[in-house]
Coordinates of all heavy atoms in Angstrom, one line a residue:
M1 N -12.2 72.3 -4.4 CA -11.1 71.6 -3.7 C -10.2 71.0 -4.7 O -9.0 70.9 -4.4 CB -11.8 70.5 -2.8 CG -10.8 69.8 -2.0 SD -10.1 71.0 -0.8 CE -9.2 69.8 0.2
P2 N -10.6 70.5 -5.9 CA -9.6 69.9 -6.8 C -8.5 70.9 -7.2 O -7.3 70.5 -7.4 CB -10.4 69.5 -8.0 CG -11.8 69.4 -7.5 CD -11.9 70.3 -6.4
Y3 N -8.9 72.1 -7.4 CA -7.9 73.1 -7.8 C -6.9 73.5 -6.6 O -5.8 73.8 -6.9 CB -8.5 74.3 -8.4 CG -9.0 74.0 -9.8 CD1 -10.3 73.6 -10.1 CD2 -8.1 74.1 -10.9 CE1 -10.7 73.3 -11.4 CE2 -8.4 73.8 -12.2 CZ -9.7 73.4 -12.4 OH -10.1 73.1 -13.7
V4 N -7.4 73.3 -5.4 CA -6.5 73.5 -4.3 C -5.5 72.3 -4.3 O -4.3 72.6 -4.0 CB -7.3 73.5 -2.9 CG1 -6.4 73.5 -1.7 CG2 -8.2 74.8 -2.9
L5 N -5.9 71.1 -4.5 CA -5.0 70.0 -4.6 C -4.0 70.2 -5.7 O -2.8 69.9 -5.5 CB -5.8 68.7 -4.8 CG -6.7 68.2 -3.7 CD1 -7.6 67.0 -4.1 CD2 -5.9 67.8 -2.5
L6 N -4.5 70.7 -6.9 CA -3.6 70.9 -8.0 C -2.6 72.0 -7.6 O -1.4 71.8 -7.9 CB -4.4 71.4 -9.2 CG -3.6 71.6 -10.5 CD1 -2.7 70.4 -10.9 CD2 -4.5 72.1 -11.6
A7 N -3.0 73.0 -6.9 CA -2.0 74.1 -6.5 C -1.0 73.5 -5.5 O 0.2 73.8 -5.7 CB -2.8 75.3 -5.9
L8 N -1.4 72.7 -4.6 CA -0.5 72.1 -3.7 C 0.5 71.1 -4.4 O 1.6 71.0 -4.1 CB -1.2 71.4 -2.6 CG -2.0 72.3 -1.6 CD1 -2.9 71.4 -0.7 CD2 -1.1 73.2 -0.8
A9 N 0.0 70.4 -5.4 CA 0.8 69.5 -6.2 C 1.9 70.4 -6.9 O 3.0 70.0 -7.0 CB 0.0 68.8 -7.2
I10 N 1.5 71.5 -7.5 CA 2.4 72.4 -8.2 C 3.5 72.9 -7.2 O 4.7 72.9 -7.5 CB 1.7 73.6 -8.8 CG1 0.9 73.1 -10.0 CG2 2.7 74.6 -9.3 CD1 -0.2 74.1 -10.5
I11 N 3.1 73.3 -6.0 CA 4.0 73.8 -5.0 C 5.0 72.7 -4.6 O 6.2 73.0 -4.5 CB 3.3 74.4 -3.8 CG1 2.5 75.7 -4.2 CG2 4.2 74.6 -2.6 CD1 1.5 76.1 -3.1
S12 N 4.5 71.5 -4.4 CA 5.4 70.4 -4.0 C 6.4 70.1 -5.1 O 7.6 69.8 -4.9 CB 4.5 69.1 -3.8 OG 3.7 69.3 -2.7
E13 N 5.9 70.1 -6.4 CA 6.8 69.8 -7.5 C 7.9 70.9 -7.7 O 9.0 70.6 -7.9 CB 6.0 69.7 -8.8 CG 6.8 69.3 -10.0 CD 7.3 70.4 -10.8 OE1 6.7 71.5 -10.8 OE2 8.3 70.2 -11.5
V14 N 7.5 72.2 -7.5 CA 8.4 73.3 -7.6 C 9.5 73.2 -6.5 O 10.7 73.4 -6.8 CB 7.7 74.6 -7.6 CG1 8.6 75.8 -7.4 CG2 6.9 74.8 -8.9
C15 N 9.0 72.9 -5.3 CA 10.0 72.7 -4.2 C 11.0 71.6 -4.5 O 12.2 71.7 -4.3 CB 9.3 72.5 -2.9 SG 8.4 73.9 -2.3
A16 N 10.4 70.4 -4.9 CA 11.3 69.3 -5.2 C 12.3 69.6 -6.4 O 13.5 69.3 -6.2 CB 10.4 68.1 -5.6
T17 N 11.8 70.2 -7.4 CA 12.7 70.5 -8.5 C 13.7 71.6 -8.1 O 14.9 71.5 -8.5 CB 11.9 71.1 -9.7 OG1 10.9 70.1 -10.1 CG2 12.7 71.4 -10.9
S18 N 13.4 72.5 -7.3 CA 14.3 73.5 -6.9 C 15.4 72.9 -6.0 O 16.6 73.3 -6.0 CB 13.6 74.7 -6.1 OG 12.7 75.3 -6.9
C19 N 15.0 71.9 -5.2 CA 16.0 71.2 -4.4 C 16.9 70.3 -5.1 O 18.0 70.0 -4.6 CB 15.3 70.4 -3.3 SG 14.5 71.3 -2.0
L20 N 16.6 70.0 -6.4 CA 17.5 69.2 -7.2 C 18.9 69.8 -7.3 O 19.9 69.1 -7.2 CB 16.9 69.0 -8.6 CG 15.9 67.8 -8.8 CD1 15.3 67.9 -10.2 CD2 16.6 66.5 -8.5
K21 N 18.9 71.1 -7.4 CA 20.2 71.8 -7.5 C 21.0 71.6 -6.3 O 22.2 71.5 -6.3 CB 20.0 73.3 -7.8 CG 21.2 74.1 -8.0 CD 21.3 74.7 -9.3 CE 22.5 75.6 -9.4 NZ 23.1 75.5 -10.7
L22 N 20.3 71.6 -5.1 CA 21.0 71.5 -3.8 C 21.5 70.1 -3.5 O 22.3 69.9 -2.6 CB 20.0 71.9 -2.7 CG 19.5 73.3 -2.9 CD1 18.4 73.6 -1.8 CD2 20.6 74.4 -2.9
T23 N 21.0 69.1 -4.3 CA 21.5 67.7 -4.0 C 22.9 67.5 -4.5 O 23.5 66.5 -4.1 CB 20.6 66.7 -4.7 OG1 20.7 66.7 -6.1 CG2 19.1 66.8 -4.3
E24 N 23.4 68.3 -5.4 CA 24.7 68.1 -6.0 C 24.9 66.7 -6.5 O 25.8 66.0 -6.2 CB 25.8 68.5 -5.0 CG 25.8 70.0 -4.6 CD 26.9 70.3 -3.6 OE1 27.8 69.5 -3.3 OE2 26.8 71.4 -3.0
G25 N 24.0 66.4 -7.4 CA 24.0 65.1 -8.1 C 23.6 64.0 -7.1 O 24.1 62.8 -7.2
F26 N 22.7 64.3 -6.2 CA 22.2 63.3 -5.2 C 23.3 62.8 -4.3 O 23.3 61.7 -3.8 CB 21.5 62.1 -5.8 CG 20.1 62.5 -6.4 CD1 20.0 62.8 -7.7 CD2 19.0 62.7 -5.5 CE1 18.8 63.2 -8.2 CE2 17.8 63.1 -6.0 CZ 17.7 63.3 -7.4
S27 N 24.3 63.7 -4.1 CA 25.4 63.3 -3.2 C 25.2 63.9 -1.8 O 26.0 63.6 -0.9 CB 26.8 63.8 -3.7 OG 26.8 65.3 -3.8
R28 N 24.2 64.7 -1.6 CA 23.8 65.3 -0.3 C 22.5 64.7 0.2 O 21.5 64.8 -0.6 CB 23.7 66.8 -0.4 CG 25.1 67.4 -0.7 CD 25.1 68.9 -0.8 NE 24.7 69.5 0.5 CZ 24.0 70.6 0.6 NH1 23.6 71.3 -0.4 NH2 23.7 71.1 1.8
L29 N 22.5 64.1 1.3 CA 21.3 63.4 1.8 C 20.1 64.2 2.0 O 19.0 63.8 1.4 CB 21.7 62.7 3.2 CG 20.5 61.9 3.8 CD1 20.1 60.7 2.9 CD2 20.9 61.4 5.2
W30 N 20.1 65.2 2.8 CA 18.8 65.9 3.1 C 18.1 66.6 1.9 O 16.9 66.5 1.7 CB 19.0 66.8 4.3 CG 19.3 66.0 5.5 CD1 20.4 66.0 6.2 CD2 18.5 65.0 6.1 NE1 20.4 65.1 7.3 CE2 19.2 64.4 7.2 CE3 17.2 64.5 5.8 CZ2 18.6 63.4 8.0 CZ3 16.7 63.5 6.7 CH2 17.4 63.0 7.7
P31 N 18.9 67.3 1.1 CA 18.2 67.8 -0.1 C 17.7 66.6 -1.0 O 16.6 66.8 -1.6 CB 19.3 68.6 -0.9 CG 20.3 68.9 0.2 CD 20.3 67.8 1.2
S32 N 18.4 65.5 -1.1 CA 17.9 64.4 -1.9 C 16.6 63.8 -1.3 O 15.7 63.5 -2.0 CB 18.9 63.3 -1.9 OG 20.1 63.8 -2.5
V33 N 16.5 63.7 0.0 CA 15.3 63.3 0.7 C 14.2 64.3 0.4 O 13.0 63.9 0.1 CB 15.5 63.1 2.2 CG1 14.2 62.9 3.0 CG2 16.5 62.0 2.5
G34 N 14.5 65.6 0.4 CA 13.5 66.6 0.1 C 12.9 66.4 -1.3 O 11.7 66.6 -1.5
V35 N 13.8 66.1 -2.2 CA 13.4 65.9 -3.6 C 12.4 64.7 -3.7 O 11.4 64.8 -4.3 CB 14.6 65.7 -4.5 CG1 14.2 65.2 -5.9 CG2 15.4 67.0 -4.7
A36 N 12.8 63.6 -3.1 CA 12.0 62.4 -3.1 C 10.6 62.7 -2.5 O 9.5 62.3 -3.1 CB 12.7 61.3 -2.5
I37 N 10.6 63.3 -1.4 CA 9.3 63.6 -0.7 C 8.5 64.5 -1.5 O 7.2 64.3 -1.7 CB 9.6 64.1 0.8 CG1 10.1 63.0 1.6 CG2 8.3 64.7 1.4 CD1 10.6 63.5 3.0
G38 N 9.1 65.6 -2.0 CA 8.4 66.6 -2.8 C 7.7 66.0 -4.0 O 6.5 66.3 -4.3
Y39 N 8.4 65.1 -4.8 CA 7.9 64.5 -6.0 C 6.8 63.5 -5.6 O 5.7 63.5 -6.3 CB 8.9 63.8 -6.8 CG 9.7 64.8 -7.7 CD1 11.1 64.8 -7.7 CD2 9.1 65.8 -8.4 CE1 11.8 65.7 -8.4 CE2 9.8 66.7 -9.2 CZ 11.2 66.6 -9.2 OH 11.9 67.5 -10.0
V40 N 7.0 62.7 -4.6 CA 5.9 61.7 -4.2 C 4.7 62.5 -3.8 O 3.5 62.2 -4.3 CB 6.4 60.8 -3.1 CG1 5.2 60.0 -2.5 CG2 7.5 59.8 -3.6
L41 N 4.8 63.5 -3.0 CA 3.7 64.3 -2.6 C 3.0 65.0 -3.8 O 1.7 65.0 -3.9 CB 4.1 65.4 -1.5 CG 3.0 66.3 -1.0 CD1 1.9 65.4 -0.3 CD2 3.6 67.3 0.0
S42 N 3.8 65.5 -4.7 CA 3.2 66.1 -5.8 C 2.4 65.2 -6.7 O 1.3 65.5 -7.1 CB 4.3 66.7 -6.7 OG 3.8 67.4 -7.8
F43 N 2.9 64.0 -6.9 CA 2.1 63.0 -7.7 C 0.9 62.5 -7.0 O -0.1 62.3 -7.6 CB 3.0 61.8 -8.1 CG 3.9 62.2 -9.3 CD1 5.3 62.2 -9.1 CD2 3.4 62.5 -10.5 CE1 6.1 62.5 -10.2 CE2 4.2 62.9 -11.6 CZ 5.6 62.9 -11.4
V44 N 1.0 62.4 -5.7 CA -0.2 61.9 -4.9 C -1.3 63.0 -5.1 O -2.5 62.7 -5.3 CB 0.1 61.7 -3.5 CG1 -1.1 61.5 -2.6 CG2 1.0 60.4 -3.4
L45 N -0.9 64.3 -4.9 CA -1.9 65.4 -4.9 C -2.4 65.6 -6.4 O -3.6 65.8 -6.6 CB -1.2 66.7 -4.4 CG -0.9 66.7 -3.0 CD1 0.0 67.9 -2.6 CD2 -2.2 66.8 -2.1
L46 N -1.5 65.4 -7.3 CA -2.0 65.5 -8.7 C -3.0 64.4 -9.1 O -4.0 64.6 -9.7 CB -0.8 65.5 -9.7 CG -1.1 65.5 -11.2 CD1 -1.8 66.9 -11.5 CD2 0.2 65.4 -12.0
G47 N -2.7 63.2 -8.6 CA -3.6 62.1 -8.8 C -4.9 62.3 -8.2 O -6.0 62.0 -8.8
R48 N -5.0 62.9 -7.1 CA -6.3 63.2 -6.4 C -7.0 64.3 -7.2 O -8.2 64.2 -7.3 CB -6.1 63.5 -5.0 CG -5.6 62.3 -4.1 CD -5.6 62.7 -2.7 NE -5.0 61.6 -2.0 CZ -5.6 60.7 -1.2 NH1 -6.9 60.8 -1.1 NH2 -5.0 59.7 -0.6
A49 N -6.3 65.2 -7.6 CA -6.9 66.3 -8.4 C -7.5 65.8 -9.7 O -8.6 66.3 -10.2 CB -5.9 67.4 -8.7
L50 N -6.9 64.8 -10.3 CA -7.3 64.2 -11.6 C -8.7 63.5 -11.5 O -9.3 63.2 -12.5 CB -6.3 63.3 -12.1 CG -5.0 63.9 -12.7 CD1 -4.0 62.9 -13.1 CD2 -5.4 64.8 -13.9
K51 N -9.1 63.2 -10.2 CA -10.5 62.6 -10.1 C -11.5 63.6 -10.5 O -12.6 63.2 -10.9 CB -10.7 62.3 -8.6 CG -9.9 61.1 -8.1 CD -10.2 60.8 -6.7 CE -9.4 59.6 -6.2 NZ -9.8 59.3 -4.8
H52 N -11.2 64.9 -10.6 CA -12.2 65.9 -10.9 C -11.9 66.9 -12.0 O -12.7 67.6 -12.5 CB -12.5 66.8 -9.6 CG -12.9 65.9 -8.4 ND1 -14.2 65.4 -8.3 CD2 -12.3 65.5 -7.4 CE1 -14.3 64.7 -7.2 NE2 -13.1 64.7 -6.6
I53 N -10.6 66.9 -12.4 CA -10.1 67.8 -13.4 C -9.6 66.9 -14.6 O -8.9 66.0 -14.4 CB -8.9 68.7 -12.9 CG1 -9.3 69.4 -11.7 CG2 -8.5 69.6 -14.0 CD1 -8.2 70.1 -11.0
P54 N -10.0 67.3 -15.8 CA -9.5 66.6 -17.0 C -8.0 66.5 -17.0 O -7.3 67.5 -16.7 CB -10.0 67.3 -18.2 CG -11.2 68.1 -17.7 CD -10.9 68.4 -16.2
V55 N -7.4 65.4 -17.4 CA -6.0 65.2 -17.4 C -5.3 66.2 -18.3 O -4.2 66.7 -17.9 CB -5.5 63.8 -17.7 CG1 -5.8 63.4 -19.1 CG2 -4.1 63.5 -17.3
S56 N -5.8 66.6 -19.4 CA -5.2 67.5 -20.3 C -5.0 68.9 -19.6 O -4.0 69.5 -19.8 CB -6.0 67.6 -21.6 OG -7.3 68.1 -21.3
V57 N -6.0 69.3 -18.9 CA -6.0 70.6 -18.2 C -5.1 70.5 -17.0 O -4.2 71.4 -16.8 CB -7.4 71.0 -17.8 CG1 -7.3 72.3 -17.0 CG2 -8.3 71.3 -19.1
A58 N -5.3 69.5 -16.2 CA -4.5 69.4 -14.9 C -3.0 69.3 -15.2 O -2.2 70.0 -14.6 CB -5.0 68.2 -14.1
Y59 N -2.6 68.4 -16.2 CA -1.2 68.3 -16.5 C -0.6 69.5 -17.1 O 0.5 69.9 -16.8 CB -1.0 67.0 -17.3 CG 0.5 66.8 -17.5 CD1 1.2 66.2 -16.4 CD2 1.2 67.1 -18.6 CE1 2.6 66.0 -16.5 CE2 2.6 66.9 -18.7 CZ 3.2 66.3 -17.7 OH 4.6 66.1 -17.8
A60 N -1.4 70.2 -18.0 CA -0.9 71.4 -18.6 C -0.6 72.5 -17.5 O 0.4 73.2 -17.5 CB -1.8 71.9 -19.6
V61 N -1.6 72.6 -16.6 CA -1.4 73.6 -15.6 C -0.2 73.2 -14.6 O 0.6 74.1 -14.3 CB -2.7 73.8 -14.8 CG1 -2.5 74.6 -13.5 CG2 -3.8 74.4 -15.7
W62 N -0.2 72.0 -14.3 CA 0.9 71.5 -13.4 C 2.3 71.7 -14.0 O 3.1 72.3 -13.3 CB 0.6 70.0 -13.1 CG 1.6 69.3 -12.1 CD1 1.6 69.4 -10.8 CD2 2.6 68.5 -12.5 NE1 2.6 68.6 -10.3 CE2 3.3 68.0 -11.3 CE3 3.1 68.0 -13.7 CZ2 4.3 67.2 -11.3 CZ3 4.2 67.1 -13.7 CH2 4.8 66.7 -12.5
S63 N 2.4 71.2 -15.2 CA 3.7 71.4 -15.8 C 4.1 72.8 -16.2 O 5.2 73.2 -16.0 CB 3.9 70.4 -17.0 OG 2.9 70.7 -18.0
G64 N 3.1 73.5 -16.7 CA 3.3 74.9 -17.2 C 3.7 75.8 -16.0 O 4.6 76.6 -16.0
A65 N 2.8 75.7 -15.0 CA 3.1 76.6 -13.8 C 4.4 76.2 -13.1 O 5.2 77.1 -12.7 CB 1.9 76.5 -12.8
G66 N 4.7 74.9 -13.1 CA 5.9 74.5 -12.5 C 7.1 74.9 -13.3 O 8.1 75.4 -12.7
T67 N 7.1 74.9 -14.6 CA 8.1 75.4 -15.5 C 8.4 76.8 -15.2 O 9.6 77.3 -15.1 CB 7.8 75.1 -16.9 OG1 7.7 73.7 -17.1 CG2 8.9 75.6 -17.9
A68 N 7.4 77.6 -15.3 CA 7.5 79.1 -15.1 C 8.1 79.4 -13.7 O 9.0 80.2 -13.5 CB 6.2 79.8 -15.3
A69 N 7.5 78.7 -12.7 CA 8.0 79.0 -11.3 C 9.4 78.6 -11.1 O 10.2 79.4 -10.5 CB 7.1 78.3 -10.3
V70 N 9.8 77.5 -11.6 CA 11.2 77.0 -11.4 C 12.2 77.9 -12.2 O 13.3 78.2 -11.7 CB 11.4 75.5 -11.8 CG1 12.8 75.1 -11.9 CG2 10.6 74.6 -10.8
A71 N 11.8 78.4 -13.3 CA 12.6 79.3 -14.1 C 12.8 80.6 -13.2 O 13.9 81.1 -13.1 CB 12.0 79.7 -15.4
G72 N 11.7 81.1 -12.6 CA 11.8 82.3 -11.8 C 12.7 82.1 -10.6 O 13.5 82.9 -10.2
I73 N 12.5 80.9 -10.0 CA 13.4 80.6 -8.8 C 14.8 80.5 -9.2 O 15.7 80.9 -8.5 CB 12.9 79.3 -8.1 CG1 11.5 79.5 -7.4 CG2 13.9 78.7 -7.2 CD1 10.8 78.3 -7.0
G74 N 15.1 79.9 -10.4 CA 16.5 79.8 -10.9 C 17.1 81.2 -11.0 O 18.3 81.4 -10.6
V75 N 16.3 82.2 -11.4 CA 16.8 83.5 -11.6 C 17.1 84.2 -10.2 O 18.1 84.7 -9.9 CB 15.9 84.4 -12.4 CG1 16.2 85.8 -12.4 CG2 15.9 83.9 -13.9
V76 N 16.1 84.0 -9.4 CA 16.1 84.7 -8.1 C 17.0 84.0 -7.1 O 17.9 84.7 -6.4 CB 14.7 84.9 -7.5 CG1 14.7 85.4 -6.1 CG2 13.8 85.8 -8.4
A77 N 16.9 82.7 -6.9 CA 17.6 82.0 -5.8 C 19.0 81.6 -6.3 O 19.9 81.5 -5.4 CB 16.8 80.9 -5.4
F78 N 19.2 81.2 -7.5 CA 20.4 80.6 -8.0 C 21.2 81.5 -8.9 O 22.3 81.1 -9.4 CB 20.2 79.3 -8.6 CG 19.5 78.3 -7.7 CD1 18.3 77.7 -8.0 CD2 20.2 77.9 -6.6 CE1 17.7 76.8 -7.2 CE2 19.6 76.9 -5.7 CZ 18.3 76.4 -6.0
G79 N 20.8 82.8 -9.1 CA 21.5 83.7 -9.9 C 21.6 83.4 -11.4 O 22.5 83.8 -12.0
E80 N 20.7 82.5 -11.9 CA 20.8 82.2 -13.3 C 20.2 83.3 -14.1 O 19.4 84.1 -13.6 CB 19.9 80.9 -13.5 CG 20.5 79.7 -12.7 CD 19.6 78.5 -12.8 OE1 18.5 78.6 -13.3 OE2 20.0 77.5 -12.2
S81 N 20.6 83.4 -15.3 CA 20.0 84.4 -16.2 C 19.3 83.8 -17.3 O 19.6 82.7 -17.8 CB 21.2 85.3 -16.7 OG 22.0 84.6 -17.5
L82 N 18.2 84.5 -17.8 CA 17.4 84.1 -18.9 C 17.5 85.2 -19.9 O 17.3 86.4 -19.6 CB 16.0 83.9 -18.5 CG 15.7 82.7 -17.5 CD1 14.3 82.7 -17.1 CD2 16.2 81.4 -18.0
G83 N 17.7 84.8 -21.2 CA 17.6 85.8 -22.3 C 16.2 86.0 -22.7 O 15.2 85.4 -22.3
R84 N 16.1 86.9 -23.7 CA 14.8 87.2 -24.3 C 14.1 86.0 -24.8 O 12.9 85.8 -24.6 CB 14.9 88.3 -25.3 CG 15.2 89.6 -24.8 CD 15.3 90.6 -25.9 NE 15.7 91.9 -25.4 CZ 16.3 92.8 -26.0 NH1 16.5 92.7 -27.3 NH2 16.7 94.0 -25.5
L85 N 14.8 85.1 -25.5 CA 14.2 83.9 -26.1 C 13.6 83.0 -25.0 O 12.6 82.4 -25.1 CB 15.2 83.2 -26.9 CG 14.7 82.1 -27.9 CD1 13.6 82.7 -28.8 CD2 15.8 81.5 -28.7
Q86 N 14.4 82.8 -23.9 CA 13.9 82.0 -22.8 C 12.6 82.6 -22.1 O 11.7 81.9 -21.8 CB 15.0 81.8 -21.7 CG 16.1 80.9 -22.1 CD 17.2 81.6 -22.8 OE1 17.2 82.8 -23.0 NE2 18.3 80.9 -23.2
W87 N 12.6 83.9 -22.0 CA 11.4 84.6 -21.4 C 10.2 84.4 -22.4 O 9.1 84.2 -21.9 CB 11.7 86.1 -21.1 CG 12.5 86.3 -19.9 CD1 13.8 86.8 -19.8 CD2 12.1 86.0 -18.5 NE1 14.2 86.8 -18.5 CE2 13.2 86.3 -17.7 CE3 11.0 85.5 -17.9 CZ2 13.2 86.2 -16.3 CZ3 11.0 85.3 -16.6 CH2 12.0 85.7 -15.8
L88 N 10.5 84.5 -23.6 CA 9.4 84.3 -24.6 C 8.9 82.9 -24.5 O 7.7 82.6 -24.6 CB 10.0 84.6 -26.0 CG 9.0 84.3 -27.2 CD1 7.7 85.1 -27.1 CD2 9.7 84.4 -28.5
G89 N 9.8 81.9 -24.4 CA 9.4 80.5 -24.2 C 8.5 80.3 -23.0 O 7.4 79.6 -23.1
I90 N 8.8 80.9 -21.9 CA 8.0 80.8 -20.7 C 6.7 81.5 -20.9 O 5.6 80.9 -20.5 CB 8.7 81.5 -19.5 CG1 10.0 80.6 -19.1 CG2 7.8 81.6 -18.3 CD1 10.9 81.3 -18.1
A91 N 6.6 82.6 -21.6 CA 5.4 83.3 -21.9 C 4.5 82.4 -22.8 O 3.3 82.3 -22.6 CB 5.6 84.6 -22.5
L92 N 5.1 81.7 -23.7 CA 4.3 80.9 -24.6 C 3.8 79.7 -23.9 O 2.6 79.2 -24.2 CB 5.2 80.4 -25.8 CG 5.5 81.5 -26.8 CD1 6.6 81.0 -27.8 CD2 4.3 82.0 -27.5
V93 N 4.5 79.1 -22.9 CA 4.0 78.0 -22.1 C 2.8 78.5 -21.3 O 1.7 77.8 -21.3 CB 5.1 77.5 -21.1 CG1 4.5 76.6 -20.1 CG2 6.2 76.8 -21.9
I94 N 2.8 79.7 -20.7 CA 1.7 80.2 -20.0 C 0.5 80.5 -20.9 O -0.6 80.1 -20.6 CB 2.1 81.5 -19.2 CG1 3.2 81.2 -18.1 CG2 0.9 82.2 -18.6 CD1 3.9 82.3 -17.5
V95 N 0.8 81.1 -22.1 CA -0.3 81.3 -23.0 C -0.9 80.0 -23.4 O -2.2 79.9 -23.5 CB 0.2 82.1 -24.2 CG1 -0.8 82.1 -25.4 CG2 0.5 83.5 -23.8
G96 N -0.1 79.0 -23.7 CA -0.6 77.7 -24.1 C -1.5 77.1 -23.0 O -2.6 76.5 -23.3
V97 N -1.2 77.2 -21.8 CA -2.0 76.7 -20.7 C -3.3 77.4 -20.6 O -4.4 76.8 -20.4 CB -1.2 76.8 -19.3 CG1 -2.2 76.5 -18.1 CG2 -0.1 75.8 -19.3
V98 N -3.3 78.7 -20.8 CA -4.5 79.5 -20.7 C -5.4 79.1 -21.9 O -6.6 78.9 -21.7 CB -4.2 81.0 -20.8 CG1 -5.4 81.8 -21.0 CG2 -3.5 81.5 -19.5
V99 N -4.9 79.0 -23.1 CA -5.7 78.6 -24.2 C -6.3 77.2 -24.0 O -7.4 77.0 -24.3 CB -4.8 78.6 -25.5 CG1 -5.6 78.0 -26.7 CG2 -4.5 80.1 -25.9
L100 N -5.5 76.3 -23.5 CA -6.0 74.9 -23.2 C -7.2 75.0 -22.3 O -8.2 74.3 -22.4 CB -4.9 74.0 -22.7 CG -5.2 72.6 -22.5 CD1 -5.7 71.9 -23.8 CD2 -4.1 71.8 -22.0
N101 N -7.0 75.8 -21.2 CA -8.1 75.9 -20.3 C -9.4 76.6 -20.9 O -10.5 76.2 -20.6 CB -7.7 76.8 -19.1 CG -7.0 75.9 -18.1 OD1 -7.5 75.0 -17.5 ND2 -5.7 76.2 -17.9
L102 N -9.2 77.5 -21.8 CA -10.4 78.1 -22.5 C -11.0 77.1 -23.4 O -12.3 77.0 -23.4 CB -9.9 79.3 -23.3 CG -9.4 80.5 -22.6 CD1 -8.9 81.6 -23.6 CD2 -10.5 81.1 -21.7
K103 N -10.3 76.3 -24.1 CA -10.8 75.3 -25.0 C -11.6 74.2 -24.2 O -12.6 73.8 -24.6 CB -9.6 74.6 -25.7 CG -10.0 73.4 -26.5 CD -10.4 73.7 -27.9 CE -10.6 72.5 -28.7 NZ -11.9 72.1 -29.0
S104 N -11.1 73.8 -23.0 CA -11.7 72.8 -22.3 C -13.0 73.2 -21.6 O -13.8 72.4 -21.3 CB -10.8 72.2 -21.2 OG -10.6 73.2 -20.2
S105 N -13.2 74.5 -21.5 CA -14.5 74.9 -20.9 C -15.7 74.9 -21.8 O -16.8 75.2 -21.4 CB -14.3 76.3 -20.3 OG -14.1 77.3 -21.3
H106 N -15.4 74.7 -23.1 CA -16.5 74.7 -24.1 C -17.0 73.3 -24.4 O -16.4 72.4 -24.4 CB -16.1 75.4 -25.4 CG -15.8 76.9 -25.1 ND1 -16.8 77.8 -24.7 CD2 -14.7 77.6 -25.3 CE1 -16.2 79.0 -24.6 NE2 -15.0 78.9 -24.9

């Protein structure tokens, strides 16, 4: 169950971060409300997951997965482009999260 909470926290954070673009500097009400709700929900779920998952692992997974997902959403939904160096950076974040998880299991 803790990893389900973590996954839901990641989804909430990714939705909130993706909506940031739609707020137009927090000048649009409903996307701004969505951002606030998404972040609050994300932190509540992350906090509950931290009762059972080490903070080093949970935060690395939460932030790493969120970073990779938001980058992908930026490309697909907002027409942003990423160069080779940016893709390499995302890959390194993912590798770092995997290595951290391997380290924590010993």
Side-chain angles (χ1 to χ4, degrees):
M1 188 65 171
Y3 283 96
V4 171
L5 292 172
L6 181 58
L8 293 172
I10 292 165
I11 292 167
S12 297
E13 186 270 333
V14 167
C15 289
T17 302
S18 298
C19 284
L20 275 173
K21 180 118 175 144
L22 304 175
T23 68
E24 296 180 13
F26 289 100
S27 64
R28 296 181 61 213
L29 176 64
W30 293 115
S32 300
V33 169
V35 168
I37 290 170
Y39 281 131
V40 168
L41 181 60
S42 180
F43 281 116
V44 168
L45 293 166
L46 179 61
R48 292 186 187 255
L50 287 174
K51 291 181 179 181
H52 305 283
I53 303 171
V55 68
S56 60
V57 172
Y59 187 74
V61 171
W62 181 80
S63 62
T67 298
V70 170
I73 289 169
V75 169
V76 172
F78 298 118
E80 299 171 357
S81 62
L82 296 175
R84 289 183 184 156
L85 195 57
Q86 287 90 356
W87 285 113
L88 175 63
I90 292 168
L92 289 172
V93 167
I94 293 167
V95 168
V97 169
V98 169
V99 169
L100 185 59
N101 277 295
L102 293 175
K103 170 88 170 111
S104 70
S105 66
H106 295 298

